[in-house]
Amino acid sequence: MKLAYIGIDLFYTALDALDRLDCEIAEIFTCETDNETEFNVRVIDFAKRHGIPYTLNRITREDIERLAAKGCTAAVCAGYYYKIPVSEEFPIVNIHPSLLPRGRGSWPMPYTILRREKESGVTVHKIAEGFDTGDILLQERFFLSKDENLETFMEKACALVPQMMKKLTDNFGELWETALPQGEGEYLELPTEKD
């Protein structure tokens, strides 16, 4: 598959897995991060090492049209700060660190831990007009321990992603066509420093 990648280091394992699966990464869209709590260093380093064009500018509808015109099949998003334009002609999926529709929002992980939930997971869903509301292509679960923290949570989540990327790229068309609507869900605000 020829893909564009949209994201930061949160789910770097997705970009690495797509590369190992011999997907052609045509372009990378990332964004400025504080490089203290969230990072873009690995994604930018990947782009430089592989000679892939990258930008810190927001992805636009014109970018999506250009990607489609140059033969990209789809785009994979994994941790991106900005709204991505939805296109009926160009499929874009997002990797999200919760079992949607529960835990919509940019950082559901701390709330999942603080609420002492017993399980969470990773969802691959279509980009839609509402944040984290698109139809679900794939979902994998993991159990949370009593002493779960953000680092151990993300280790578990990131460990699921390579196999999910294999399933996605092996069966993209079928998964896209048979994706399941989410229905009602919850949206979590960005956690505070105290959280």
Side-chain angles (χ1 to χ4, degrees):
M1 288 182 78
K2 186 174 183 177
L3 301 169
Y5 188 82
I6 308 166
I8 60 173
D9 292 357
L10 183 69
F11 277 122
Y12 177 80
T13 52
L15 180 57
D16 185 59
L18 292 168
D19 181 51
R20 292 175 190 273
L21 292 166
D22 292 327
C23 293
E24 179 184 345
I25 309 298
E27 289 186 41
I28 293 176
F29 297 82
T30 189
C31 49
E32 294 285 348
T33 62
D34 62 12
N35 285 324
E36 290 179 23
T37 58
E38 292 189 306
F39 302 84
N40 62 12
V41 176
R42 295 177 80 191
V43 169
I44 290 172
D45 180 63
F46 181 96
K48 289 178 178 177
R49 282 186 292 114
H50 292 82
I52 299 169
Y54 75 93
T55 183
L56 296 170
N57 296 329
R58 286 184 186 208
I59 190 166
T60 65
R61 183 162 306 286
E62 292 75 25
D63 291 320
I64 291 169
E65 290 169 0
R66 182 176 43 73
L67 291 168
K70 70 191 280 186
C72 281
T73 311
V76 173
C77 177
Y80 189 66
Y81 292 179
Y82 305 115
K83 180 94 173 85
I84 298 169
V86 176
S87 169
E88 294 297 321
E89 296 78 38
F90 189 75
I92 304 174
V93 299
N94 183 52
I95 304 168
H96 186 75
S98 80
L99 294 172
L100 293 173
R102 188 165 170 84
R104 292 176 179 152
S106 60
W107 263 66
M109 306 84 76
Y111 292 116
T112 302
I113 295 165
L114 290 169
R115 291 192 295 203
R116 301 197 181 286
E117 294 187 15
K118 301 211 181 305
E119 69 174 5
S120 189
V122 177
T123 303
V124 177
H125 66 92
K126 292 180 180 183
I127 291 289
E129 289 299 332
F131 281 108
D132 303 324
T133 61
D135 297 351
I136 295 172
L137 283 76
L138 294 167
Q139 223 170 32
E140 295 289 340
R141 299 173 184 274
F142 59 83
F143 292 105
L144 301 175
S145 66
K146 289 181 182 178
D147 60 348
E148 199 75 50
N149 61 46
L150 187 57
E151 186 175 325
T152 59
F153 182 105
M154 285 310 298
E155 284 173 0
K156 291 175 183 178
C158 287
L160 295 174
V161 170
Q163 187 60 32
M164 293 177 83
M165 292 300 96
K166 177 156 181 31
K167 287 179 185 175
L168 181 70
T169 56
D170 284 351
N171 303 295
F172 190 90
E174 181 182 343
L175 289 169
W176 184 265
E177 292 302 320
T178 60
L180 301 173
Q182 287 189 38
E184 293 297 315
E186 68 168 346
Y187 184 85
L188 301 173
E189 295 298 324
L190 192 64
T192 65
E193 188 67 31
K194 182 176 181 255
D195 293 329

